Amino acid sequence: MNASSIHPFLSPSSSPSPFTATTASRNHLGLSSLPLFRPYLRLHFQYPQLLNSNRYSRFAATPKFPSLVFPVGSSSQLSDDDIELESDDEEEEDDDVAAEEYDVVTVEIEGDSEQYEDEDDDEVTEATDGVGGGLPRYEEFKWQRVERIRNEVREFGEDIIDVEELASVYDFRIDKFQRLSIQAFLKGSSVVVSAPTSSGKTLIAEAAAVATFSRGKRLFYTTPLKALSNQKFRDFRDTFGDTNVGLLTGDSAVNKDAQILIMTTEILRNMLYRSVGTDSSESMLSDVDVIVLDEVHYLSDISRGTVWEEIVIYCPKQVQLICLSATVANPDELAGWIGQIHGKTELVTSSKRPVPLTWHFSTKTALLPLLDQKGTSMNRKLSLNQLQLDSSRDNVYKDENPRRRKSKKYQFDVPPLTKHDMNSIRRSQVPQVIDTLWHLKARDMLPAVWFIFSRKGCDAAVQYLEDCNLLDDCEITEVELALKKFRVKYPDAVRESSAKGLLRGVAAHHAGCLPLWKSFIEELFQKGLVKVVFATETLAAGINMPARTAVVSSLTKRIDSGRTFLSSNELLQMAGRAGRRGIDEKGHVVLLQTPYEGAEECCKVLFSGLEPLVSQFTASYGMVLNLLAGAKFTRSSAESDDSNTSQSGRTLEEARKLVEQSFGNYVGSNVMLAAKEELARIQTEIQMLASEITDEAIDKKSRKLLSHTSYKEIADLQEELRVEKRIRSELRKKVEWERIYSFKPLLEELGNEHLPFMCLQHTDADGVLHQIPAVYLGKVDSLKTLKLKNMVHESDSFALTNRSDSSDAESEHAAEPSYYVALGSDNSWYLFTEKWIRTIYKTGFPNVALALDDALPHEIMSSLLDKGDMQWQKVADSEFGGLWYMEGSLETWSWSLNVPVLSSLSDDDEVLKFSEAYKNAVQCYKDQRNKVSRLKKKIARTEGFREYKKILDIAKFNEEKIRRLKARSLRLSTRLEQIEPSGWKEFLQISNVIHEVRALDINSHFIFPLGETAAAIRGENELWLAMVLRNKVLVDLKPAQLAAVCGGLVSEGIKVRPWKNNSYIYEASTTVMNVIAFLDELKSSLLDLQEKHGVKITCCLDSQFTGMVEAWASGLTWREIMMECAMDEGDLARLLRRTIDLLAQVPKLPDVDPRLKSNAVKASSVMDRPPISELVG
């Protein structure tokens, strides 16, 4: 379809041919008058000095445009020494040869894992349209070829449809993976296609549409985005005719009975809700042959992935599925899952791009290959070592003889750089936008999509390049004419801050722009009138804007929790925008040096491997209501057939069978099976190793390897050693008992006067010693904490081991371990025995009331302790009792802050004085330990010890291996216990909520009016929306006020932009604010109920932007609303469109007041006007 059919002022005749180079490549950039840029943006814009040197001659054999004029004194100027050094480098390293190789080396990062390779790789593939990635030569005849096939099927029957017949629609040879996919479809199988971005996956769906259309059946084509649905709608109308293609999105319904229906995935899911479980002849999809799920890798999307899984689960078995996915790590699992629950499914994968990619890395002064010639590792010239060497040359060789500089041996005679120096060098290599842009233009690598992960950065880059002309005079005239006509048709949609940049060939494309403006930019870009588009990553999600080059400004992006690295999937998705089929021989991807990310990090992400699809399946109110109650009410909606549908509810068991068919359960069942097999193998290995480390096994090996004399000598000494070790253990236990006895009177004495500071200590599983400063509260039995006392005395977890021996210490002292409580400096309560006390200090909290009639600190802290929920967790354990902790509260925080750190407490403050009995016990233990040590040395001096030592070493190795295997076994066992059907737990929790609010009786499956309304709504929290829309407080509102309240229900994620100088936002009327306040109480009650049943679904209600919605619904113009507005145009448009979407649902909801329906219609009709209206056809 020609772009002028959407914007008639974009004259196709004035657009340069995509197959011929424009004169812009010989036009200068005009940078001499570039303005100074405001400092608040973290982008670096400076001007490289163009010098007539070999340094720049290797970038392009012939200059593409005249030399540029740059400001004198630019920080990027190169000195004569720099030029001379560069020449020396070229002489030694043969960079001229490297440059030639760089021009031809192409690396396909996707690797060689594709299942199918094209047979005729040497053939030149002709251009295609949007489905194949290029521009066809005979687009105007394509609909005629489709009509010819349709007529032939009518005359000769469906059997004539084969791959060759469908391939004849195109005037180019289709790729092998496309051919294999079409063959699988024609055999009646569902198909999963995994191939790189822009490789032509849509052609497969279009061929299936041709076959389905010719047979007189229907095809549904789903996309994740409304903009993408609109684009596919336009493309398919060009191929199949306006009357044969329809569109269904949240706010558009065009020709909904057409044979080919384009829609968003949520629309199809809602259709399937009303069809699942019904007889195929009664299903709303009874005449649908094929469903295409485009961008099926969205299944991994954390907020929307459930929708894709539901479609596959609920889809009637007789419908063929065509699932189109970008390259992922586990397409076989996806195909296996669909095959298991839906029917025969074939997988077709391809890692080959029709236009291969070449990867580059841009620094301040150069654009170099990112990879080596084999494409398997990083180009060594980009390594940190090379940067260090270059930096050392600058410092060490500055005044050296030029001849000496050529010595390779001398190159490494330089001091190493510190980490700070390396960071400084990296920062100095960060290119400015103009640096990289110059290289792109010089190498004829435009047009380009330049990804910057912030709206602010995109807009700033456009403003910076406003005086950098990338268009020739003819192109400027075309853009001026197109902009003038766009301004006449959509005066409020013009983004004035970007208009000047547009006339220079640069534009921004992000969510802050109006949909109309973004569509305008897309069409100019496709016609070659925009050379560089600065875009956020949303542009990579399926929108048809192929370029010659994709530039990725950073490997990290900001998320709610901070900054995170791009995944390899995300990077390859953006890289897929590069390379136009039929136009470019190869595509280019340019990664940039940043202050913190270099070529090493780029290669790490690039080679990290594809990420797998991960199930995000979770239950929702709409899912539970529709599955349990069915459609027991009458619906009339744009996506329905305006007919009555009645269906009995499913039982919980029937619903469970559906829910447990999720992709996560399919993968989990495979994981569980593999885990059980590994667990059995580990247990077998542990048994085998355990049999080799027994005393009998070691004795048997010793008899075999040692002589009789040596064996008897070592055996006798080992028996003596065992006896001495037992004595050592008894003495160590005696030391602990004496230590416990020493602590008891001290703790009782100090606890009566004040609350002393103390130090607790324990060693974790990794052998790390932890010391915890705390304030001592008292012995559990003496505290007025009834809950804690009952727990300690009644729970077996806190039981203390009874003494089984009768050592001197025990006979002399009745020293039983006891539990005590302290508050740590980390605001955690600690429950412990004397075992875990390292020392006690003189200082502490005085047990004195802070004011008259105040309680004592001891009483206050005891009451705070007893208010806790007693959720104690074990930190460490021993035969003398455990160490437990429980998180404190906000009220204990101020007490914990006053506990000093250990370094501020000196040894002189310690009050611990051990008894003579304790000191004697310690001395006896030390003597016995020395005796054991001497005996070990005696054994080591025996004649056969060397051979015996080998046996012991093997036994120790096996013991360590058993320990690791047991740890692995424990982790696997725990994981197996945790694995449960994905989504079913949430399903039951939500069922309890809707049962308690009387939306649905889960026993009788009778659906109440509230449930009927909630089941018919599309939204994040359907129950919350239904509770609001059914509330009588909305009935008397005026249409604009109703729109404002609805806006408050759908404003999640909308933000004010802090970098905007303007800060004005319209305030809502008093009536609207009163309604919001009333609804806030209703929201709190629902959140409390959700918390009671463990449901975590947000309830959006925000009054911040309700005034903006009310103003627009009251008829204010766009200019009036946006004047000094603190919101981006795109954000406000998105909020208004969400509001319109919700208002458009109200008239179709069952059991809603007619007056509310009438006001919703009035409000939505007023609001749905330019410039927020979206292009459909």
Side-chain angles (χ1 to χ4, degrees), residues 57-72:
S57 64
R58 52 183 182 147
F59 286 74
T62 58
K64 298 296 181 182
F65 47 88
S67 298
L68 308 179
V69 179
F70 296 89
V72 178

Side-chain angles (χ1 to χ4, degrees), residues 75-93:
S75 61
S76 59
Q77 286 184 350
L78 298 175
S79 66
D80 292 339
D81 289 340
D82 292 330
I83 301 170
E84 186 175 7
L85 263 177
E86 194 68 21
S87 300
D88 293 338
D89 291 344
E90 289 180 4
E91 180 179 340
E92 288 188 358
E93 302 297 335

Side-chain angles (χ1 to χ4, degrees), residues 4 6-14 477-494 502-503 517 520 523-524:
S4 61
I6 300 170
H7 288 300
F9 40 83
L10 293 179
S11 172
S13 60
S14 61
T477 302
E478 287 191 67
V479 175
E480 287 176 341
L481 179 61
L483 186 59
K484 181 178 179 181
K485 292 184 176 180
F486 183 84
R487 192 186 301 274
V488 170
K489 191 171 184 179
Y490 305 108
D492 291 335
V494 176
L502 200 60
L503 295 173
W517 180 256
F520 180 55
E523 293 172 27
L524 289 179

